[in-house]
């Protein structure tokens, strides 16, 4: 009788097939690798439990072993924070006592301990030695990926990241540029350090992930060097830069893109305002804050800005006597918060904040929080890139109507090709 393929061997074959597929690039299959790695670990653990319980390997005969035998598998689903994982729970028959998995229990369908190891392996998988050590320590050598597969993963990831981070950007023409940073611990003995990220919307409305770089701080010099690298590779100035209010970032943008308009992230500013309000009143003040910017019906330009100013004055009149610090926090930067109102109405909700990057940063931090410190700077950058690059493929672009296109063309002409002022010369008169 032909030897049946075990669930573990099937998962290993899926992983090898995934990386052998020439039609898919590595960045596009990183999530699949994480999912398959989770299944591999959990399935291997289940099979190891049965082996220990019966005292013999699969297909091994031992007349001195306890009675009982494997009797196929039962499909189960384990819920994880990364989504449901489909496994095959081993079934055992003919034993003196009932087999119950210590990993999943008799009826448990949720686990976190091994998922943490999977995420650790995923992060440390950027190093061949680390991924082998992590998996071998968890479940023994039988659960580890083959050395050739691990090496291929690491080599391809490093190669693709290097090509992406040095590519030319001459063909990228932006309307909008989002700049933000998130922090990770990736140097021994150091605090969490920022990774700088740039994302944009092109003149055709398409989203584009532009760049990322490590930095010792979010001061002027790191941001200026990061933006200089992008422009050095051919990136042209956008019409609007969206960011938080970090002074170093703002000064760097002013230096590198002096003609671009600058929008302060309304979500970051909302947090600043609410930090100056008692917890019991934050829901009310938050609703009043967003009423300033939501549902403005005036056309883009000064009319829309004037409406936001009018609403801000009403906000100030309502709260300046009870929460003066919160009101001052809002009014002191109102000009920076309303720049987006000069752009097409259908773009307002998207370009008034950097929330798209914030949500993706949260996904990246979720993957790394179980590690504590990443193995190093290169591993950190490759992980952030892999997650962001994967996420960016699902980012929605913007719709460009004919009216929006005309408005943006007019704004671009005013910003980057202002009319040359006419020089009036007085007629020269000669003395009689």
């Amino acid at each position: 009788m032909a030897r049946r393929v075990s669930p573990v061997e099937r998962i290993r074959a899926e992983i090898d097939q995934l990386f052998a597929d020439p039609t898919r690039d590595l960045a596009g299959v990183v999530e699949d690798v994480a999912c398959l790695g989770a299944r591999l670990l959990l399935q291997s653990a289940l099979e190891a439990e049965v082996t220990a319980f019966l005292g013999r390997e699969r297909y091994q005969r031992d007349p001195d072993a306890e009675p009982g035998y494997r009797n196929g598998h039962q499909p189960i689903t384990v819920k994880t924070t990364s989504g449901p994982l489909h496994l095959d729970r081993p079934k055992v028959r003919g034993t003196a006592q009932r087999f119950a998995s210590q990993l999943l229990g008799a009826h448990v369908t949720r686990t976190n301990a091994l998922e943490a190891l999977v995420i650790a392996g995923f992060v440390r998988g950027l190093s061949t030695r680390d991924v082998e050590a992590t998996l071998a320590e968890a479940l023994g050598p039988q659960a580890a990926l083959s050395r050739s597969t691990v090496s291929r993963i690491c080599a391809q990831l490093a190669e693709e990241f290097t090509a992406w981070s040095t590519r030319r950007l001459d063909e990228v023409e932006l309307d909008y540029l989002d700049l933000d940073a998130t922090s990770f611990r990736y140097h021994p003995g150091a605090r969490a350090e920022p990774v700088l990220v740039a994302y944009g919307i092109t003149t055709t409305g398409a989203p584009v992930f532009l760049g990322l770089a490590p930095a010792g701080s979010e001061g002027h010099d790191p941001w200026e060097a990061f933006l200089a690298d992008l422009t050095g590779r051919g990136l042209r100035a956008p019409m609007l830069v969206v960011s938080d209010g970090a002074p170093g970032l703002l000064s760097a943008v002013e230096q590198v893109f002096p003609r671009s308009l600058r929008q302060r992230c309304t979500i970051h500013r909302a947090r600043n305002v609410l930090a100056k309000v008692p917890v019991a009143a934050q829901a009310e003040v938050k609703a009043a804050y967003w009423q300033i910017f939501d549902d403005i019906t005036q056309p883009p330009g000064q009319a829309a800005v004037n409406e936001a100013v009018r609403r801000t004055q009403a906000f100030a009149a309502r709260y300046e006597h009870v929460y003066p610090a919160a009101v001052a926090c809002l009014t002191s930067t109102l000009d920076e918060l309303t720049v987006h109102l000069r752009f097409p109405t259908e773009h307002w909700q998207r370009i008034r904040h950097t929330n798209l990057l914030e949500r993706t940063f949260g996904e990246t931090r979720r993957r790394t929080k179980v590690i504590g410190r990443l193995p190093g700077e290169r591993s950190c950058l490759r992980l952030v890139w892999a997650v962001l690059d994967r996420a960016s493929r699902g980012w929605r672009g913007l719709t460009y109507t004919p009216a929006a296109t005309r408005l943006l063309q007019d704004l671009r002409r005013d910003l980057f090709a202002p009319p040359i002022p006419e020089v009036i010369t007085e007629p020269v008169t000669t003395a009689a």
Side-chain angles (χ1 to χ4, degrees), residues 107-428:
H107 303 289
V108 175
T109 59
R110 186 174 187 85
T111 183
N112 291 311
L114 279 178
E115 182 187 0
L117 290 175
V118 171
I119 298 173
F122 173 43
V123 176
R124 293 177 180 271
L126 305 175
S127 160
T128 303
R129 182 178 302 171
D130 283 337
V131 73
E132 291 178 349
T134 299
L135 297 178
E137 288 172 7
L139 296 173
Q142 74 277 2
L145 303 177
S146 67
R147 178 176 294 272
S148 61
T149 298
V150 174
S151 299
R152 187 162 61 250
I153 294 171
C154 299
Q156 290 182 17
L157 187 59
E159 181 180 341
E160 290 179 16
F161 174 69
T162 299
W164 178 87
S165 59
T166 58
R167 74 199 188 287
R168 295 294 303 176
L169 300 172
D170 304 83
E171 301 301 318
V172 178
E173 186 176 9
L174 298 178
D175 281 337
Y176 308 114
L177 172 65
D178 281 22
L179 300 174
D180 207 346
T182 187
S183 296
F184 301 95
R185 292 183 63 240
Y186 52 83
H187 286 138
R191 57 176 175 78
E193 299 169 278
V195 173
L196 312 183
V197 179
Y199 148 81
I201 295 289
T202 69
T203 53
T204 62
V208 56
F209 178 27
L210 293 164
L212 81 163
S217 70
E218 290 191 61
H220 170 89
D221 290 346
W223 273 114
E224 190 276 332
F226 176 57
L227 296 177
D229 173 69
L230 296 179
T231 56
R233 289 191 277 128
L235 183 66
R236 287 165 282 180
M239 282 198 289
L240 181 69
V241 178
V242 188
S243 70
D244 61 22
L249 171 55
L250 295 179
S251 62
V253 171
E254 291 175 357
Q255 178 176 330
V256 179
F257 300 126
R259 291 184 177 272
S260 300
L261 297 176
R262 290 175 292 280
Q263 165 72 32
R264 183 187 285 255
C265 176
T266 52
I267 292 179
H268 281 85
R269 203 52 172 172
R271 295 172 188 158
N272 300 149
V273 170
L274 294 177
K276 304 179 184 301
V277 175
V279 174
Q282 286 184 358
E284 174 191 331
V285 174
K286 180 180 179 180
Y289 172 89
W290 287 114
Q291 286 175 1
I292 295 172
F293 306 102
D294 290 341
D295 302 320
I296 293 178
T297 58
Q298 282 73 9
Q302 194 59 47
V305 173
N306 291 342
E307 174 62 15
V309 171
R310 184 193 66 77
R311 296 183 183 190
T312 302
Q313 292 170 345
F315 179 96
R318 181 179 178 183
Y319 293 112
E320 62 184 349
H321 297 298
V322 285
Y323 311 124
V327 171
C329 181
L330 169 61
T331 56
S332 64
T333 56
L334 184 61
D335 289 346
E336 302 169 38
L337 295 169
T338 56
V339 177
H340 69 281
L341 298 174
R342 302 183 182 277
F343 290 80
T345 305
E346 55 267 39
H347 297 177
W348 288 353
Q349 287 283 339
R350 183 74 168 271
I351 66 174
R352 67 185 188 181
H353 55 67
T354 59
N355 198 41
L356 185 66
L357 286 176
E358 285 284 317
R359 291 198 305 270
T360 311
F361 288 158
E363 171 68 11
T364 312
R365 285 190 291 268
R366 183 186 67 78
R367 292 190 177 282
T368 60
K369 66 181 179 181
V370 297
I371 302 303
R373 182 184 70 80
L374 293 171
E377 181 178 303
R378 290 181 179 177
S379 293
C380 177
L381 289 180
R382 291 172 189 168
L383 171 65
V384 176
W385 169 71
V387 175
L388 284 174
D389 185 68
R390 171 76 173 185
S392 68
R393 297 167 187 239
W395 287 343
R396 292 182 297 104
L398 291 175
T399 300
Y400 277 49
T401 63
T405 301
R406 287 192 298 271
L407 175 58
L408 291 170
Q409 288 174 343
D410 292 341
L411 283 171
R412 182 173 293 277
R413 183 169 54 250
D414 293 341
L415 289 172
F416 301 116
I420 300 175
E422 183 180 354
V423 178
I424 301 177
T425 58
E426 295 292 335
V428 177

